[in-house]
Amino acid sequence: MSIEQPFADFVMSVGHQSITSAGELTAVTEETALETARAQKSIVMGLVPFDPSRPATLWVPQSYTVEERKDAGTATNGSHNFPAPSRVEGIDNPRYRQAVGDAVARMNNGEFDKVVLARTLTAHYDQPLKIADVYDNLTLQQPRAYTFSVKLPDSDEYLMGASPELVFKTEAGGRFNTHPLAGSAQRSAHPGDLEDMQIGEQLMRSAKDRAEHATVIDDIRSRLAPLTEELDAPAVPELMTTPQLWHLGTKITGVLKGHLSSLDGARAIHPTPAICGTPRDIALESIREYEDFDRGYFGGLVGYMDADGNGSWALVLRCARVSPHRATLFAGAGIVRASQPESEHAETATKLGTFGKVLGISTR
């Protein structure tokens, strides 16, 4: 069933601002993007797949708007209700648990150090979803995230998500920051209470999570060093929160060399160990072996940049491909030697729950 577009082809909220496309989109390559944006007095917006060997999907819009992000309510204030799905596939995923167990065994044999394994959950609908209402719920429920909606080419699907993670942002003068997250824990049923604070403190003290986080920071630092004039990465991470999770995060800052763009910086570190694993090549091969779906843009990048190359790129996380009669949700977890199949299955269920809550469905 085809639908009329309920809103723009591309919408992304960063901080207090929303970037929205208008009019016709001109498809461009990474090589021609900035030149075309300058010629059309516009910007570049788009997606980068998880697989770093695949080309980016980029556009220059005929025009665009930059507006203050609308005030977000609570999870129940102004939210939309949707029909119950006719069926949901993937709540229990024995294959995923088996993959985690196999990966841990290989790590204990010294084949690699970490791999991020993902799974999907698909909800099917007899009564069609109102796509615009889905995005309204997402922005209402995730006021602090990098929320986005992108109409996928030649499809009735929209890629929507509420990413907690900024991959790369640049400003005038080549100054940049990247804010990787690695290591997470589910928050309590009452965020902000004593139990919730104790969960955060336990995460900060967790040797497993701190080691996982340090691996990510070391990898990003080594990949950015050849591209930068200045580079600063704090030695100790900070605690970050989403409505569902605690995360360990480190804000890395610096100055890029020459005329490198925000996309150049993002490409240099993508995919990080936080979404792929280490060593990268072996982790990529393992993901292709263990996962029974093509990630496509899940775990990739979504963002925009101006004609000078300054802009923001976030990880495509806490996301779903949504069409009127189907929503496919994605979530992954970092697998290390200490990982347990049941706990990693539970962690992905929590992450799936971000978009599950948008639709009003259980992911457990």
Side-chain angles (χ1 to χ4, degrees):
M1 175 182 176
S2 62
I3 59 168
E4 295 183 2
Q5 284 186 218
F7 40 75
D9 290 302
F10 184 102
V11 183
M12 183 174 179
S13 294
V14 179
H16 297 293
Q17 292 186 327
S18 289
I19 310 294
T20 305
S21 68
E24 183 179 351
L25 299 182
T26 300
V28 292
T29 65
E30 292 181 57
E31 293 74 24
T32 64
L34 294 180
E35 179 183 356
T36 305
R38 285 191 288 269
Q40 297 190 14
K41 295 181 173 55
S42 187
I43 63 175
V44 181
M45 47 182 52
L47 297 161
V48 176
F50 167 74
D51 187 335
S53 67
R54 294 184 183 180
T57 302
L58 302 173
W59 304 276
V60 172
Q62 183 177 357
S63 61
Y64 65 96
T65 60
V66 180
E67 299 176 332
E68 285 297 306
R69 188 175 184 175
K70 65 181 181 181
D71 292 337
T74 66
T76 57
N77 181 20
S79 61
H80 303 280
N81 295 319
F82 299 107
S86 56
R87 70 181 190 278
V88 179
E89 302 168 339
I91 289 180
D92 182 53
N93 193 322
R95 176 174 175 153
Y96 182 79
R97 290 191 292 273
Q98 180 64 50
V100 172
D102 289 351
V104 168
R106 290 176 59 187
M107 282 184 273
N108 286 326
N109 286 334
E111 294 185 40
F112 51 93
D113 299 318
K114 175 186 175 181
V115 64
V116 177
L117 296 181
R119 64 184 180 99
T120 62
L121 183 152
T122 301
H124 299 267
Y125 292 87
D126 292 335
Q127 300 180 54
L129 295 169
K130 293 183 178 180
I131 304 296
D133 289 351
V134 175
Y135 190 65
D136 278 348
N137 275 12
L138 184 70
T139 57
L140 285 167
Q141 295 176 13
Q142 299 291 329
R144 295 169 58 191
Y146 301 94
T147 54
F148 56 88
S149 172
V150 184
K151 180 71 163 56
L152 296 176
D154 304 316
S155 169
D156 66 349
E157 289 186 309
Y158 289 76
L159 179 67
M160 297 182 182
S163 177
E165 184 165 347
L166 176 70
V167 175
F168 213 81
K169 178 179 181 179
T170 58
E171 299 174 339
R175 299 210 65 86
F176 73 86
N177 72 81
T178 176
H179 202 167
L181 308 180
S184 62
Q186 183 178 357
R187 301 189 70 180
S188 75
H190 303 284
D193 67 7
L194 179 59
E195 179 187 1
D196 188 50
M197 300 305 293
Q198 290 173 337
I199 293 171
E201 292 171 1
Q202 290 169 1
L203 177 63
M204 182 64 85
R205 294 195 300 267
S206 167
K208 169 185 174 292
D209 290 287
R210 289 289 291 269
E212 179 183 348
H213 189 82
T215 297
V216 172
I217 301 307
D218 290 345
D219 181 82
I220 291 175
R221 187 163 38 203
S222 66
R223 293 183 182 278
L224 283 180
L227 282 66
T228 59
E229 295 177 358
E230 298 177 19
L231 184 61
D232 179 55
V236 179
E238 298 177 322
L239 283 170
M240 309 291 296
T241 61
T242 69
Q244 285 77 30
L245 292 163
W246 284 97
H247 293 283
L248 296 178
T250 296
K251 187 173 183 179
I252 300 172
T253 59
V255 178
L256 288 175
K257 291 180 178 178
H259 300 287
L260 294 173
S261 71
S262 57
L263 184 54
D264 292 327
R267 274 291 209 181
I269 62 177
H270 174 70
T272 72
I275 197 64
C276 177
T278 54
R280 178 191 282 189
D281 291 344
I282 298 176
L284 283 168
E285 291 175 6
S286 299
I287 288 167
R288 297 185 188 108
E289 175 185 350
Y290 287 126
E291 295 180 357
D292 59 353
F293 63 96
D294 183 349
R295 287 192 180 188
Y297 298 112
F298 167 67
L301 308 174
V302 59
Y304 65 92
M305 58 185 177
D306 64 21
D308 294 322
N310 295 317
S312 299
W313 299 87
L315 265 182
V316 177
L317 294 178
R318 313 295 189 267
C319 64
R321 291 176 63 129
V322 183
S323 65
H325 290 280
R326 185 177 64 250
T328 299
L329 287 60
F330 300 82
I335 311 305
V336 295
R337 290 180 180 86
S339 295
Q340 299 292 325
E342 288 293 341
S343 62
E344 302 302 337
H345 191 281
E347 179 177 330
T348 52
T350 297
K351 292 175 177 176
L352 289 166
T354 297
F355 215 98
K357 188 175 182 180
V358 170
L359 298 171
I361 61 173
S362 173
T363 56
R364 296 180 180 276

